[in-house]
Amino acid sequence: MMKHGITRKLLFTGMMLAALVPLGLSAAEPEDVIKYRKNVMKAIGGHTSAAAAIVQGKVDYKAHLAEHARALQVLTKDIPALFPKDSDFGDTEAKDAVWTKRADFEKAAKNARTKVEAFAKAVQGGNQQAMAASFKDMGEGCKGCHKDFRKEEK
Amino acid sequence: MKNLAMHKSVAVWLFISVAPVLSAADDALPQGEYLFHAAGCATCHTQEDNKGSPLAGGRALKTAFGIFYSSNITPDPDTGLGRWSEADFQRALREGISPEGKHYYPAFPYTSYTQLTDADLRALRKYLLSRQPVRQANRPHELPWYLRARPLLSFWKMLYFRPGVFQPLADKPPAWNRGAYLVKAVAHCGECHTPRHFFGGFKEAQYLAGNPHGVDDTKIPNITPDRKTGIGKWSASDIADYLETGMTPDGDFAGDLMADVIDNSTSVLIREDRRAIAAYLKSLPAVESLARSPKK
């Protein structure tokens, strides 16, 4: 009875460990994290420049603007999550300050995020001037974070 | 006399109602303030990262030659420029020589400021003297032993320093000359964007073609119109927009030192000046560089 109980316990522990192994593996390679966040950033840039062309009246795709704004909302939801610990070396332009001054970094990311929301709201509102102003302000948010947390090293 | 006073009030009115138009401003203070921003003095002379007092210096500039600390340019009489005469100021910016007769290291970009006009130098000094004085002694540079002897700089200057005021080209339009003056003399773009050879002189044939070993361990991009390694695919309005907002044509945003340059300097310029810079940059010979471009 006793022996059986221990076996069961061991079996249970083994199963738990086995369940943890895939989790352990899913702690992604830093290189892949860096590639992933670069691609997310590129996507953000793509929507930003596309939105800029519409806001500035260079192209006539006004109907698409809400989609770009929504994409930006989704993509910037949690920027700090793209910068986990141990993703600070390799082919990255992130400055060490992303990790050493984490609170400042999260504040800057949140600031950018708030401005993305404001832009999306202005797009909903449809006022041309408000859109242009909030778009410019959103850019300030992007630049504000890049200024302190990204190396110009391309 | 009355005429002059009226002229002046018109200029002041123009300044308030339109914008600080550099050449149109008759009053030296707005002109000096505009130049101060255009030249980006605050970027290096304020230790922003450590919440330093404006213009009191102490910002570290990490270069291939050592760490330079910017100086106090507030009007404090003992640690700043308070006691400098007009001639002292002119000599410092035009010749790179301190009031005590010492050579400055070219981390202070007198190699560019030498091209500023007399009127601009006067206006700039007047503006600096109107700032808040801060008592803060200059921090000595951290240089390898073989670079510590300042007299060496006289040889360096003999080889690489071309003093003299900017000369506009008669066969170019005014906007081009304005752009050239802003890029070369005022905003001193080449100090970072032109690569240097072993002794710190500029590789003139690669003017503005990027510096793979730039300040603060960064790679400074090629801003000549080369399509592959420079900004040849940027339109003139792309360049002007970038200097205003920091956004590249593909939606990326400037960071690091260039974000400071945009915030403190190029975004403050009047639109015509940003366009003039863009027109001048577009007119340059395209140079293919090893330092990769900021964007495709």
Side-chain angles (χ1 to χ4, degrees), chain A residues 45-46 48-49 52 56 58 95 135-136 139-140 142-143 146-148 150-154, chain B residues 217-219 241 244-245 247 249-256 259-260 262-263 292 294-295:
Chain A
T48 305
S49 59
Q56 293 167 357
K58 285 182 183 165
K95 283 189 179 179
F135 181 81
K136 212 178 159 187
E140 291 295 317
C142 301
K143 176 153 58 72
H146 286 183
K147 183 163 154 172
D148 293 332
R150 190 183 70 180
K151 278 181 277 197
E152 291 296 280
E153 193 184 65
K154 316 225 164 168
Chain B
D217 294 326
T218 57
K219 290 176 184 159
D241 285 350
E244 183 184 358
T245 67
M247 189 180 82
D250 63 356
D252 194 359
F253 278 82
D256 221 346
D260 281 327
I262 290 165
D263 286 348
R292 278 175 293 156
K295 285 295 131 215

Side-chain angles (χ1 to χ4, degrees), chain B residues 181-194:
Chain B
Y181 180 68
L182 285 166
V183 168
K184 289 178 165 188
V186 185
H188 58 280
C189 310
E191 298 286 342
C192 284
H193 284 280
T194 301

Side-chain angles (χ1 to χ4, degrees), chain B residues 30-287:
Chain B
Q31 185 185 351
E33 185 171 0
Y34 189 79
L35 266 168
F36 168 83
H37 290 302
C41 309
T43 303
C44 281
H45 285 281
T46 303
Q47 203 188 347
E48 210 179 272
D49 285 352
N50 295 329
K51 312 264 180 287
S53 310
L55 307 183
R59 183 200 190 279
L61 207 64
K62 245 172 96 184
T63 75
F65 304 94
I67 302 175
F68 295 94
Y69 292 96
S70 63
S71 57
N72 184 340
I73 56 168
T74 73
D76 182 69
D78 298 319
T79 61
L81 316 180
R83 278 192 244 270
W84 288 30
S85 69
E86 186 76 58
D88 286 341
F89 189 79
Q90 294 247 350
R91 194 159 71 138
L93 276 87
R94 209 181 295 294
E95 295 169 43
I97 295 172
S98 77
E100 300 82 42
K102 278 190 191 157
H103 292 292
Y104 288 123
Y105 288 96
F108 167 48
Y110 58 84
T111 35
S112 296
Y113 296 155
T114 187
Q115 300 201 45
L116 290 170
T117 63
D118 283 353
D120 280 351
L121 283 176
R122 272 196 300 274
L124 189 58
R125 173 167 177 268
K126 197 173 162 190
Y127 179 72
L128 287 176
L129 290 178
S130 77
R131 300 290 84 202
Q132 183 71 33
V134 178
R135 202 183 161 81
Q136 180 178 306
N138 290 331
R139 184 170 171 179
H141 305 315
E142 288 168 29
L143 303 174
W145 61 269
Y146 52 87
L147 290 178
R148 279 181 216 153
R150 286 190 187 237
L152 277 176
L153 286 163
S154 60
F155 292 107
W156 188 90
K157 281 177 163 176
M158 230 151 50
L159 291 170
Y160 306 120
F161 178 42
R162 307 269 170 278
V165 182
F166 174 80
Q167 299 300 328
L169 295 180
D171 60 338
K172 298 279 188 186
W176 186 93
N177 276 312
R178 177 70 183 155
Y181 180 68
L182 285 166
V183 168
K184 289 178 165 188
V186 185
H188 58 280
C189 310
E191 298 286 342
C192 284
H193 284 280
T194 301
R196 296 168 188 266
H197 53 59
F198 187 73
F199 294 110
F202 290 120
K203 295 177 179 169
E204 310 258 346
Q206 291 182 59
Y207 176 57
L208 299 181
N211 186 351
H213 309 289
V215 286
D216 297 342
D217 294 326
T218 57
K219 290 176 184 159
I220 310 285
N222 180 347
I223 54 169
T224 72
D226 183 59
R227 287 181 70 82
K228 242 166 66 191
T229 62
I231 55 172
K233 289 180 182 168
W234 294 30
S235 69
S237 64
D238 285 340
I239 298 172
D241 285 350
Y242 174 75
L243 294 174
E244 183 184 358
T245 67
M247 189 180 82
T248 67
D250 63 356
D252 194 359
F253 278 82
D256 221 346
L257 192 55
M258 193 60 198
D260 281 327
V261 172
I262 290 165
D263 286 348
N264 297 339
S265 174
T266 58
S267 68
V268 186
L269 298 178
I270 57 168
R271 188 173 299 256
E272 285 68 25
D273 276 350
R274 277 190 295 271
R275 285 191 184 151
I277 291 174
Y280 170 72
L281 290 179
K282 290 295 281 183
S283 79
L284 292 173
V287 182

Side-chain angles (χ1 to χ4, degrees), chain A residues 63-138:
Chain A
H64 296 188
L65 193 54
E67 292 301 308
H68 293 302
R70 214 164 57 87
L72 286 171
Q73 277 178 295
V74 173
L75 292 168
T76 58
K77 207 162 212 159
D78 192 358
I79 291 174
L82 298 172
F83 297 83
K85 258 193 248 171
D86 301 328
S87 65
D88 57 344
F89 57 91
D91 191 17
T92 180
E93 287 142 18
K95 283 189 179 179
D96 290 343
V98 166
W99 294 275
T100 58
K101 294 183 179 171
R102 192 69 183 186
D104 291 343
F105 171 63
E106 288 184 357
K107 208 172 122 191
K110 199 178 162 195
N111 174 47
R113 164 79 188 150
T114 310
K115 291 176 175 198
V116 169
E117 289 296 339
F119 172 62
K121 214 173 152 190
V123 169
Q124 291 296 326
N127 179 295
Q128 181 59 36
Q129 262 185 329
M131 274 193 273
S134 62
F135 181 81
K136 212 178 159 187
D137 200 40
M138 182 173 80

